[in-house]
Amino acid sequence: MSEPIKDLELVNVTKRYGATVAVDAINHHFKPGTYTCLLGPSGCGKSSTLRMIAGHESISDGSILLGAHDISDLPPAKRGTAMMFQNYALFPHLSVTENVAFSLKMKGVDSKTRRAAANEMLELVDLTELSDRLPDQLSGGQQQRVALARALITRPQVLLLDEPLSALDPFLRIRMRAELRKLQQELGISFLHVTHGQDEALALADEIVVMNNAVIEQAGPAREVFNAPKTEFVARFMGGHNVIALPDGHFAIRSDAVGLTTVEAGKLEASVTAVEYQGTHVSVTARTVGDQDVTALMADSLFFEQPKTPGDRVGLSWDPNDLHALAS
Ligand code: ADP
């Protein structure tokens, strides 16, 4: 792409639907050329945020900047963004090529130029051989690639993806994940991908923005958000963590950082309530004397050196450096 990639910035962006505040004065700076996942439970305001950036939804308050330009009031096609929808929204009576070239036709671009641009995009998503087919003659994964090519033909600075993988079966979802990531790196533009799946966000994103109840709970590099959750909500939503109440506050600790030892040597005394074999790991859950459930995820070899069964008394141990204080 010829132009340098610009920063996307949200400034106090708010969305109200009547009395419902769907997005509450959020601020975020999306670095150019990054893959960002907007992650959170259903109803937290992710899609509203994406649709406001795309221009498919009006902004109740605040502004959206791309580069130095306020794009808040521009129509979708003039923003420098493009959206790929969850259901792909392909035209059933148009061929793959015609679907991909559609937006150029709307702009009045001549047919030869349109065809050349569409062919280039189809090559990018590896669909050249299927260019004459109709959408219902394609698999789900192929339809998705058509939708991607159709969004990318407008040469956006930012590609917006609303739950793009949710219609695919688990096997294809993992394959498409890799393709999306590769495409983003090849193009060097920013991808902003809405998902409610923490595994999807961790697999794809450079940066994760976790939303809850219309606000951003935490944003940062994927590894930082996973390793050092700042709130109980983020710790629980990202998974793989325990939230433990200790005399000096609430802490998150990764399940694989909790060890089992003798009652005397442990920091907390507990009795095993559940043991789940997971192949490479074994998950042991124990209830403390203070009635907190704590899960220790152990390598299978370590577990089978000293197997535990429900009812066994154990001590829970950890390295204090692995505790992350949570905001109350
Ligand atoms: P998410 O994408 O995280 O599931 P949404 O942005 O779709 O969340 O929705 C956020 C909140 O706004 C929800 O409470 C939802 O019911 C409400 N909402 C979304 N769209 C509309 C609409 N068109 N009219 C009224 N309320 C809406």
Side-chain angles (χ1 to χ4, degrees):
M1 312 254 146
S2 44
E3 279 182 274
I5 300 303
K6 297 170 186 155
D7 306 37
L8 174 69
E9 198 168 354
L10 309 181
V11 184
N12 288 320
V13 171
T14 298
K15 180 68 199 177
R16 290 183 219 94
Y17 301 100
T20 307
V21 182
V23 180
D24 194 1
I26 64 171
N27 290 285
H28 191 70
H29 173 233
F30 297 90
K31 292 192 201 96
T34 49
Y35 203 120
T36 305
C37 281
L38 206 52
L39 173 68
S42 177
C44 72
K46 307 179 297 294
S47 293
S48 297
T49 302
L50 203 73
R51 292 201 306 266
M52 284 190 284
I53 297 170
H56 295 302
E57 194 73 75
S58 64
I59 303 166
S60 307
D61 254 318
S63 43
I64 296 174
L65 311 176
L66 188 61
H69 294 288
D70 188 337
I71 59 167
S72 312
D73 297 320
L74 296 179
K78 297 260 159 74
R79 290 191 168 208
T81 59
M83 180 112 160
M84 196 189 107
F85 295 95
Q86 191 174 17
N87 55 9
Y88 315 143
L90 301 178
F91 298 114
H93 57 289
L94 296 184
S95 72
V96 165
T97 304
E98 288 163 339
N99 261 287
V100 173
F102 187 78
S103 66
L104 298 187
K105 189 172 184 184
M106 289 293 100
K107 281 189 183 160
V109 175
D110 70 85
S111 87
K112 197 169 158 224
T113 313
R114 288 202 307 265
R115 188 160 283 273
N119 287 344
E120 192 186 329
M121 287 302 137
L122 288 174
E123 205 166 301
L124 185 71
V125 298
D126 207 11
L127 275 183
T128 307
E129 274 159 30
L130 305 181
S131 60
D132 294 328
R133 294 224 188 145
L134 294 174
D136 70 0
Q137 297 167 328
L138 301 174
S139 71
Q142 290 163 344
Q143 288 182 29
Q144 187 189 49
R145 284 192 260 146
V146 178
L148 266 172
R150 194 177 57 170
L152 291 170
I153 202 166
T154 62
R155 306 262 172 197
Q157 291 268 329
V158 182
L159 181 68
L160 305 166
L161 307 111
D162 192 0
E163 300 267 4
L165 306 177
S166 61
L168 305 176
D169 65 58
F171 179 74
L172 199 54
R173 196 178 302 155
I174 288 171
R175 231 188 65 199
M176 284 308 297
R177 225 151 67 177
E179 290 193 20
L180 282 176
R181 184 72 192 144
K182 188 163 152 261
L183 199 57
Q184 186 270 331
Q185 283 168 344
E186 277 172 18
L187 293 168
I189 64 172
S190 304
F191 276 30
L192 177 50
H193 172 140
V194 160
T195 178
H196 59 265
Q198 53 83 27
D199 55 338
E200 190 167 305
L202 287 172
L204 278 165
D206 299 310
E207 301 254 332
I208 296 182
V209 176
V210 184
M211 286 187 75
N212 184 32
N213 286 333
V215 299
I216 294 175
E217 283 259 337
Q218 186 169 350
R223 194 152 176 239
E224 185 184 303
V225 172
F226 181 77
N227 274 328
K230 288 189 177 145
T231 66
E232 181 168 346
F233 172 81
V234 175
R236 294 198 188 282
F237 194 78
M238 294 309 294
H241 283 82
N242 293 287
V243 174
I244 312 183
L246 295 171
D248 48 344
H250 282 75
F251 296 87
I253 184 164
R254 280 170 54 156
S255 300
D256 58 355
V258 176
L260 299 183
T261 178
T262 58
V263 171
E264 298 71 36
K267 294 193 166 68
L268 280 178
E269 182 182 341
S271 74
V272 174
T273 54
V275 174
E276 196 178 88
Y277 177 57
Q278 297 178 350
T280 55
H281 286 79
V282 180
S283 162
V284 180
T285 301
R287 181 158 298 168
T288 67
V289 286
D291 260 355
Q292 305 187 60
D293 285 330
V294 178
T295 297
L297 189 65
M298 307 167 72
D300 65 328
S301 53
L302 192 65
F303 175 85
F304 287 108
E305 275 171 24
Q306 276 189 309
K308 303 285 183 234
T309 51
D312 286 355
R313 316 252 341 128
V314 292
L316 303 172
S317 67
W318 55 77
D319 179 337
N321 293 323
D322 289 331
L323 290 178
H324 293 279
L326 298 173
S328 48

mmCIF file of all heavy atoms in Angstrom, residues 17 20 22 41-48 51, ligand 1:
data_model
loop_
_atom_site.group_PDB
_atom_site.id
_atom_site.type_symbol
_atom_site.label_atom_id
_atom_site.label_comp_id
_atom_site.label_asym_id
_atom_site.label_seq_id
_atom_site.Cartn_x
_atom_site.Cartn_y
_atom_site.Cartn_z
ATOM 1 N N TYR A 17 -28.176 3.883 23.046
ATOM 2 C CA TYR A 17 -29.395 3.510 22.323
ATOM 3 C C TYR A 17 -30.520 3.830 23.303
ATOM 4 O O TYR A 17 -30.729 3.069 24.248
ATOM 5 C CB TYR A 17 -29.434 2.024 22.000
ATOM 6 C CG TYR A 17 -28.279 1.508 21.152
ATOM 7 C CD1 TYR A 17 -27.201 0.842 21.743
ATOM 8 C CD2 TYR A 17 -28.284 1.651 19.763
ATOM 9 C CE1 TYR A 17 -26.165 0.337 20.970
ATOM 10 C CE2 TYR A 17 -27.241 1.146 18.991
ATOM 11 C CZ TYR A 17 -26.193 0.501 19.601
ATOM 12 O OH TYR A 17 -25.168 -0.009 18.836
ATOM 13 N N THR A 20 -30.034 3.004 27.064
ATOM 14 C CA THR A 20 -28.901 2.066 27.193
ATOM 15 C C THR A 20 -27.596 2.737 26.788
ATOM 16 O O THR A 20 -27.492 3.278 25.690
ATOM 17 C CB THR A 20 -29.109 0.837 26.268
ATOM 18 O OG1 THR A 20 -30.375 0.275 26.537
ATOM 19 C CG2 THR A 20 -28.022 -0.208 26.473
ATOM 20 N N ALA A 22 -24.295 1.766 25.584
ATOM 21 C CA ALA A 22 -23.633 0.567 25.066
ATOM 22 C C ALA A 22 -22.119 0.721 25.102
ATOM 23 O O ALA A 22 -21.387 -0.257 25.264
ATOM 24 C CB ALA A 22 -24.100 0.278 23.652
ATOM 25 N N PRO A 41 -17.360 -10.262 26.857
ATOM 26 C CA PRO A 41 -18.568 -11.082 26.792
ATOM 27 C C PRO A 41 -19.643 -10.427 25.928
ATOM 28 O O PRO A 41 -19.561 -9.229 25.632
ATOM 29 C CB PRO A 41 -19.018 -11.166 28.254
ATOM 30 C CG PRO A 41 -18.443 -9.951 28.908
ATOM 31 C CD PRO A 41 -17.163 -9.650 28.186
ATOM 32 N N SER A 42 -20.628 -11.180 25.549
ATOM 33 C CA SER A 42 -21.736 -10.686 24.744
ATOM 34 C C SER A 42 -22.398 -9.490 25.433
ATOM 35 O O SER A 42 -22.613 -9.507 26.643
ATOM 36 C CB SER A 42 -22.729 -11.834 24.573
ATOM 37 O OG SER A 42 -23.836 -11.395 23.868
ATOM 38 N N GLY A 43 -22.658 -8.440 24.674
ATOM 39 C CA GLY A 43 -23.369 -7.276 25.204
ATOM 40 C C GLY A 43 -22.476 -6.218 25.830
ATOM 41 O O GLY A 43 -22.965 -5.212 26.339
ATOM 42 N N CYS A 44 -21.143 -6.401 25.793
ATOM 43 C CA CYS A 44 -20.261 -5.446 26.476
ATOM 44 C C CYS A 44 -19.977 -4.197 25.623
ATOM 45 O O CYS A 44 -19.372 -3.243 26.103
ATOM 46 C CB CYS A 44 -18.952 -6.107 26.898
ATOM 47 S SG CYS A 44 -17.848 -6.479 25.535
ATOM 48 N N GLY A 45 -20.386 -4.195 24.355
ATOM 49 C CA GLY A 45 -20.211 -3.000 23.534
ATOM 50 C C GLY A 45 -19.187 -3.127 22.417
ATOM 51 O O GLY A 45 -18.846 -2.138 21.759
ATOM 52 N N LYS A 46 -18.706 -4.333 22.151
ATOM 53 C CA LYS A 46 -17.674 -4.529 21.116
ATOM 54 C C LYS A 46 -18.177 -4.166 19.724
ATOM 55 O O LYS A 46 -17.539 -3.396 19.006
ATOM 56 C CB LYS A 46 -17.209 -6.004 21.074
ATOM 57 C CG LYS A 46 -16.751 -6.576 22.377
ATOM 58 C CD LYS A 46 -16.343 -8.041 22.232
ATOM 59 C CE LYS A 46 -17.435 -9.005 21.816
ATOM 60 N NZ LYS A 46 -18.517 -9.193 22.793
ATOM 61 N N SER A 47 -19.322 -4.750 19.337
ATOM 62 C CA SER A 47 -19.827 -4.511 17.979
ATOM 63 C C SER A 47 -20.213 -3.055 17.785
ATOM 64 O O SER A 47 -19.984 -2.499 16.713
ATOM 65 C CB SER A 47 -21.050 -5.377 17.684
ATOM 66 O OG SER A 47 -20.658 -6.702 17.639
ATOM 67 N N SER A 48 -20.796 -2.456 18.810
ATOM 68 C CA SER A 48 -21.162 -1.037 18.696
ATOM 69 C C SER A 48 -19.909 -0.209 18.432
ATOM 70 O O SER A 48 -19.913 0.702 17.600
ATOM 71 C CB SER A 48 -21.853 -0.547 19.971
ATOM 72 O OG SER A 48 -23.055 -1.261 20.155
ATOM 73 N N ARG A 51 -18.792 -0.844 14.832
ATOM 74 C CA ARG A 51 -19.707 -0.222 13.857
ATOM 75 C C ARG A 51 -19.557 1.298 13.841
ATOM 76 O O ARG A 51 -19.705 1.930 12.801
ATOM 77 C CB ARG A 51 -21.162 -0.629 14.148
ATOM 78 C CG ARG A 51 -21.441 -2.106 13.882
ATOM 79 C CD ARG A 51 -22.923 -2.383 13.671
ATOM 80 N NE ARG A 51 -23.745 -1.898 14.766
ATOM 81 C CZ ARG A 51 -24.125 -2.647 15.802
ATOM 82 N NH1 ARG A 51 -23.769 -3.910 15.879
ATOM 83 N NH2 ARG A 51 -24.868 -2.129 16.757
HETATM 84 P P1 ADP B 1 -21.294 -6.939 21.909
HETATM 85 O O1 ADP B 1 -20.847 -6.744 20.511
HETATM 86 O O2 ADP B 1 -20.174 -6.851 22.894
HETATM 87 O O3 ADP B 1 -22.110 -8.181 22.092
HETATM 88 P P2 ADP B 1 -23.102 -4.739 21.393
HETATM 89 O O4 ADP B 1 -22.288 -3.575 21.026
HETATM 90 O O5 ADP B 1 -23.785 -5.497 20.298
HETATM 91 O O6 ADP B 1 -22.252 -5.719 22.302
HETATM 92 O O7 ADP B 1 -24.239 -4.292 22.413
HETATM 93 C C1 ADP B 1 -23.973 -3.493 23.566
HETATM 94 C C2 ADP B 1 -25.286 -3.130 24.248
HETATM 95 O O8 ADP B 1 -26.065 -2.312 23.398
HETATM 96 C C3 ADP B 1 -26.174 -4.331 24.585
HETATM 97 O O9 ADP B 1 -26.814 -4.064 25.808
HETATM 98 C C4 ADP B 1 -27.158 -4.364 23.439
HETATM 99 O O10 ADP B 1 -28.369 -4.935 23.844
HETATM 100 C C5 ADP B 1 -27.322 -2.892 23.111
HETATM 101 N N1 ADP B 1 -27.620 -2.661 21.676
HETATM 102 C C6 ADP B 1 -26.850 -3.023 20.628
HETATM 103 N N2 ADP B 1 -27.406 -2.618 19.465
HETATM 104 C C7 ADP B 1 -28.566 -2.007 19.776
HETATM 105 C C8 ADP B 1 -29.607 -1.357 19.018
HETATM 106 N N3 ADP B 1 -29.538 -1.270 17.675
HETATM 107 N N4 ADP B 1 -30.632 -0.823 19.705
HETATM 108 C C9 ADP B 1 -30.691 -0.895 21.051
HETATM 109 N N5 ADP B 1 -29.765 -1.483 21.824
HETATM 110 C C10 ADP B 1 -28.712 -2.032 21.205
#
